[in-house]
Amino acid sequence: MILQDTIVALATPSGAGAIAIIRVSGKDAITLVNGIFRSIKNKDLTTQKTHTLHLGHIVDGDRVLDQVLVSLFKGPNSYTGENTVEISCHGSTFIQQQIIQLCLRKGAKMAQAGEFTMRAFLNGKLDLSQAEAVADLIASDNEASHQIAMQQMRGGFSSEIALLREQLLNFASLIELELDFSEEDVEFADRTQFKELINRIEFVLKRLIDSFAVGNVIKNGIPVAIVGEPNVGKSTLLNALLNEERAIVSDIAGTTRDTIEDELVIDGIGFRFIDTAGIRETKDVVESIGIQKTFEKIEAAQVVIYLIDGAKLNTESLDSIKVELEKLKNKYPLKPLLVVCNKKDLLTDEQIGLYNENIENLMLMSAKANEGVEELKQALLGFVNTGALRNNETIVTNTRHYDSLLKALEEIEKVKWGLQTNLSADLMAIDIRQALYFFGEITGQVTNDELLGNIFANFCIGK
């Protein structure tokens, strides 16, 4: 795929603002902009140094469109690796469109979604995993997702994969060499060192694959379902967590008939809280639909908060709650479950002791009085492995990368089995080539137009 056209697009969000930036990139970008730019000092942009700023006006014949500041970046020392010009104009939507349409009339084409970053990849300025990290960085909405995207954009993940690929490639070359001298029955690849390398690659791949469980929830947010019987304070708890009146609160059972969702960032980690309809037997058709949705939300949640009303607890209701908790644990054995007793402020020490004896790891709080809310937040953070973030370890967040890592690990395990069983070099070479292929898929050393189209279609236009 070779892209020769000069392209133009708005690089800042659409709409009116103080300043807008229009980006032009391509072999003829500087010449094109020079034809519509009049410097206040009569400069010729084609003779100016790279990475310089120039004040002047964008003109359409004798008509002045705007006073602008032009940033000049000559290839290959630009984001795209091509000649690039960024026009900083006033943020009127009329001015933006006038300048873009002028560029189009002068021979530029409208950039497709992600085309600037695709050119950066094709021109070797970024590998494919770094290019994908650009989109993640733009989409990051909390500290953790921002940190991961920055690490990947700087090449932390791709450099780790590139090192593994290079080491495996060196041994693959020796294995292939043995095939050329198969009649002499010689071994150029030291099998002991090869086994050590395969074990090391297997270890790193498993660590990266395991990190996806953390990376995926950090990137997309951790859904938390708040469930329990009607009128136990679920909506009050949601309001306390968000510190705003997000959900309607009343003493009438069944007030929440549909799920209510909102997001909260706790220590840099995004959580999506879902206030659900109360679980109970009902003949109300509308309420029963809400209860059905509750179970659907529990299915989709990463963590479940089961809320109980401390003020209404007695021996009989304790038994009922224990039955419900057992049902949840049996139905969702791998899903973390936090049992929270609300209305702590109304309980006696004797009642608190009774509840703790009957319900394991019970958390006590008062959502209305805002007591125990911070402790609940810390408990939720405990379900996220933030140690990897603090240690600046590579964390995989991209589903495509995860899939390629799984396939690469499968091939590496085949090679490992081949070494253990003294499999012939020609058969091992096939598995090694496949592993190298999947490594190359991640960084873009192996790619095709369809893959690139799918990846960059998710970018915003202008990036």
Side-chain angles (χ1 to χ4, degrees):
M1 181 185 290
I2 301 175
L3 304 176
Q4 298 285 0
D5 298 327
T6 297
I7 55 174
V8 61
L10 182 67
T12 46
S14 59
I19 295 293
I21 297 175
I22 295 166
R23 179 177 289 154
V24 185
S25 183
K27 182 180 66 174
D28 301 323
I30 297 174
T31 303
L32 186 150
V33 174
N34 190 57
I36 61 174
F37 177 71
R38 296 291 178 267
S39 166
I40 61 171
K41 295 188 176 180
N42 297 316
K43 294 179 182 178
D44 182 347
L45 291 181
T46 61
T47 63
Q48 302 306 306
K49 293 181 179 180
T50 185
H51 291 72
T52 53
L53 300 176
H54 308 277
L55 181 64
H57 297 87
I58 295 293
V59 296
D60 183 7
D62 295 330
R63 187 164 67 106
V64 176
L65 297 183
D66 193 21
Q67 185 178 49
V68 301
L69 190 65
V70 167
S71 307
L72 202 64
F73 306 95
K74 291 187 177 181
N77 300 315
S78 69
Y79 177 72
T80 61
E82 306 170 323
N83 289 336
T84 303
V85 180
E86 292 185 351
I87 304 169
S88 299
C89 63
H90 291 95
S92 156
T93 55
F94 174 76
I95 292 172
Q96 295 170 28
Q97 289 305 311
Q98 287 291 298
I99 295 175
I100 290 173
Q101 288 172 20
L102 179 59
C103 289
L104 294 174
R105 291 198 300 273
K106 295 298 181 180
K109 292 187 176 180
M110 277 301 298
Q112 300 299 311
E115 190 170 353
F116 292 100
T117 304
M118 182 188 287
R119 292 185 178 207
F121 163 68
L122 293 173
N123 292 324
K125 306 299 290 185
L126 301 167
D127 66 34
L128 197 54
S129 67
Q130 288 175 301
E132 289 170 293
V134 172
D136 290 342
L137 186 64
I138 293 170
S140 62
D141 56 4
N142 59 67
E143 183 182 349
S145 59
H146 170 264
Q147 183 179 333
I148 292 172
M150 281 298 298
Q151 183 199 46
Q152 292 193 4
M153 200 173 76
R154 291 197 302 264
F157 174 51
S158 56
S159 61
E160 193 163 2
I161 292 298
L163 179 61
L164 294 178
R165 191 174 190 270
E166 181 184 357
Q167 292 173 337
L168 185 58
L169 190 58
N170 290 337
F171 269 97
S173 302
L174 295 176
I175 294 290
E176 297 281 358
L177 190 60
E178 288 180 7
L179 297 178
D180 293 336
F181 293 89
S182 57
E183 294 181 2
E184 281 78 5
D185 194 27
V186 292
E187 285 190 356
F188 294 103
D190 186 310
R191 293 305 194 262
T192 302
Q193 290 184 2
F194 194 29
K195 285 178 183 177
E196 291 175 358
L197 173 63
I198 292 299
N199 287 333
R200 189 161 66 250
I201 292 175
E202 182 183 40
F203 174 79
V204 173
L205 287 177
K206 286 182 176 178
R207 175 174 59 79
L208 291 173
I209 288 167
D210 289 343
S211 75
F212 180 73
V214 176
N216 192 45
V217 295
I218 288 174
K219 180 179 177 180
N220 299 310
I222 302 168
V224 181
I226 305 173
V227 303
E229 293 183 353
N231 210 34
V232 296
K234 296 187 295 298
S235 297
T236 306
L237 174 58
L238 178 64
N239 291 338
L241 285 166
L242 300 173
N243 198 27
E244 63 174 288
E245 295 300 315
R246 177 67 177 82
I248 299 172
V249 177
S250 83
D251 294 330
I252 303 171
T255 299
T256 303
R257 296 194 171 199
D258 199 356
T259 57
I260 299 172
E261 300 187 24
D262 215 328
E263 297 187 2
L264 176 68
V265 176
I266 306 173
D267 285 0
I269 307 296
F271 289 84
R272 298 202 317 273
F273 290 98
I274 309 161
D275 176 21
T276 63
I279 302 173
R280 68 168 179 174
E281 295 293 329
T282 179
K283 294 181 180 179
D284 186 306
V285 175
V286 176
E287 189 180 358
S288 65
I289 294 172
I291 293 170
Q292 178 59 39
K293 284 189 176 182
T294 294
F295 286 106
E296 291 174 6
K297 292 298 180 181
I298 294 174
E299 190 74 42
Q302 293 280 345
V303 179
V304 177
I305 297 175
Y306 188 88
L307 195 65
I308 55 182
D309 184 349
K312 294 181 180 178
L313 281 180
N314 51 46
T315 305
E316 184 179 340
S317 62
L318 270 173
D319 291 337
S320 174
I321 287 168
K322 286 193 283 187
V323 169
E324 288 301 318
L325 289 174
E326 196 62 32
K327 287 180 182 177
L328 284 174
K329 289 176 182 177
N330 290 335
K331 191 171 184 179
Y332 311 104
L334 301 178
K335 207 175 291 291
L337 178 65
L338 276 175
V339 186
V340 179
C341 180
N342 191 25
K343 304 181 183 178
K344 170 188 174 183
D345 50 320
L346 302 178
L347 301 180
T348 64
D349 291 340
E350 185 180 350
Q351 286 175 309
I352 291 172
L354 174 65
Y355 303 150
N356 281 324
E357 286 176 13
N358 283 271
I359 302 174
E360 189 178 0
N361 299 321
L362 179 68
M363 292 190 68
L364 294 164
M365 68 175 300
S366 171
K368 191 173 183 179
N370 207 32
E371 293 181 22
V373 175
E374 287 304 315
E375 288 79 359
L376 177 57
K377 289 180 181 179
Q378 291 306 310
L380 289 169
L381 277 176
F383 294 119
V384 185
N385 178 19
T386 54
L389 282 173
R390 289 192 295 270
N391 298 329
N392 207 29
E393 294 178 9
T394 301
I395 297 177
V396 177
T397 62
N398 188 300
T399 305
R400 188 183 71 83
H401 299 168
Y402 176 69
D403 183 57
S404 293
L405 288 169
L406 285 173
K407 291 174 180 175
L409 177 61
E410 184 180 348
E411 298 302 326
I412 288 297
E413 288 177 340
K414 289 179 184 177
V415 175
K416 184 177 181 180
W417 178 84
L419 285 170
Q420 291 170 345
T421 57
N422 294 318
L423 192 68
S424 62
D426 56 337
L427 293 176
M428 270 201 302
I430 296 172
D431 296 328
I432 294 171
R433 288 190 207 112
Q434 281 295 103
L436 289 169
Y437 175 87
F438 293 122
F439 281 137
E441 263 196 341
I442 294 172
T443 57
Q445 289 162 299
V446 177
T447 188
N448 56 59
D449 290 354
E450 183 181 4
L451 173 65
L452 294 181
N454 289 337
I455 290 172
F456 289 104
N458 295 318
F459 277 63
C460 52
I461 293 174
K463 193 62 181 176

